[in-house]
Amino acid sequence: MTSEYDSVRPPEPPRRRRRFGKRQDRPNVGADGTREMTMVPDVEFTSYYGHNVVKPPPWGDEIAAYLFLGGVAGGSGLLAAGAQVTGREALRRNARLGALGAVGVGALALVADLGRPDRFYNMLRTFKITSPMSVGSWILTAYSGGIGVATAAEVDRLTGERIPLGTLRPVLRAVEAPAGIVGAVFSPLLAVYTAVLLSDTAVPTWNAVHRDLPFVFVSSASLAASGLAMITTGVDDAGPARTLAAIGAACDVAATRYMEHRADPVATEPLHEGTPGTLMRTAERLAIAGGVGALLSGRSRVVSVASGLALLAASACTRFGVFHAGIESAKNPRYTIEPQKRRLAARRAAGIVDDSITTGQ
């Protein structure tokens, strides 16, 4: 007899031959002559029926680019505010221009991943404090408004006040400084909220490093902003950028190492393997090289530019490495199941046996 399930039935093992006129004993032969057959073949552990436990986010490299450009914009806005307070006009102008350019291109990358601009607008219809995506949308909007007004004043000065602003020019001059401060207030939030956004998911690697990833993203943003400022600003005016670069490089290496050390060793394996591992190792080397170069570039424009490029590349490698490590961890069920088993064993060892997690109820 045949049935509709025969197509999914695993193949039967070959029957054994008779020896000396007798059939060899087979433990899977029943008294009634029927033969028991294993319906589920022995397989190497992957997950339930071989499928990944966590569905990888449907994000492409546009989101990774947004993570990087958000760091550039956030760090540049804060650096521009420092230059504004200390009267460094060249550094202030270049940092503002870099910040607006980064946040503009980053917004385009975000919209490209969303598919339609109205999806971003719809996120502004409500404000939900428990949603990193909702909060991040408002942070991006507030930052863009502040840094946009401040940069408009810089562009007006660069063009010799040829922009036909009319009576709006005195208003623009009056609100320029407050707008720059508004951008500075939201700069750290813009640089770090994407780390919270990634960590607030079920993706194994991102969730495993949720305590320390914000610090890594902040230090990475300082590398990107200082590197861009060192490229665009002369050595005489880029002193604060060089200082930020040296401090940021040391903090970036330390924060990344500490993050990898404190998190579950299995969940952080994707940070050390394949393309993400190559990106993370490259980021560390470039950060060290850029930080050392920043200390030595006080009189050399060439060294300053080279160090700035290294710092920018280091920040990009960090963001892309963390992004792709999370995507890869979601594809392999091992990075979900094994840390869960380890946490369960730790709870039982600590004597926590009266909840549904440890009792299975």
Side-chain angles (χ1 to χ4, degrees), residues 16-77:
R16 297 185 181 181
R17 297 180 179 179
R18 295 176 180 270
R19 295 184 59 185
F20 307 107
K22 297 181 179 179
R23 180 171 294 181
Q24 289 183 330
D25 293 336
R26 292 180 298 173
N28 56 348
V29 177
D32 58 351
T34 60
R35 181 176 177 276
E36 296 180 359
M37 182 176 63
T38 303
M39 297 304 297
V40 180
D42 293 333
V43 294
E44 182 180 355
F45 168 78
T46 53
S47 74
Y48 190 70
Y49 288 127
H51 294 287
N52 53 300
V53 179
V54 177
K55 184 178 180 180
W59 296 339
D61 283 336
E62 296 86 357
I63 294 299
Y66 174 70
L67 300 179
F68 164 64
L69 293 169
V72 176
S76 297

Side-chain angles (χ1 to χ4, degrees), residues 65-214:
Y66 174 70
L67 300 179
F68 164 64
L69 293 169
V72 176
S76 297
L78 199 60
L79 191 60
Q84 172 183 323
V85 173
T86 58
R88 298 176 181 267
E89 296 183 3
L91 180 60
R92 181 200 65 204
R93 179 189 67 243
N94 295 336
R96 285 177 175 175
L97 291 171
L100 184 63
V103 77
V105 177
L108 292 177
L110 177 61
V111 171
D113 183 81
L114 292 174
R116 299 197 309 267
D118 57 316
R119 290 179 175 172
F120 177 78
Y121 305 147
N122 289 335
M123 289 188 289
L124 300 177
R125 297 173 63 183
T126 60
F127 180 80
K128 189 176 181 181
I129 192 65
T130 58
S131 170
M133 181 67 75
S134 175
V135 175
S137 300
W138 282 99
I139 290 173
L140 177 62
T141 302
Y143 173 86
S144 300
I147 204 68
V149 172
T151 307
E154 298 288 358
V155 173
D156 185 49
R157 278 191 291 268
L158 283 174
T159 59
E161 298 186 353
R162 292 187 177 91
I163 300 177
L165 295 177
T167 57
L168 292 179
R169 182 167 285 111
V171 177
L172 181 62
R173 293 286 183 268
V175 300
E176 176 186 359
I181 299 301
V182 170
V185 169
F186 287 96
S187 289
L189 301 177
L190 180 64
V192 77
Y193 98 86
T194 49
V196 180
L197 176 64
L198 298 183
S199 302
D200 195 42
T201 65
V203 175
T205 296
W206 295 344
N207 188 265
V209 298
H210 70 277
R211 294 174 295 182
D212 305 303
L213 188 59

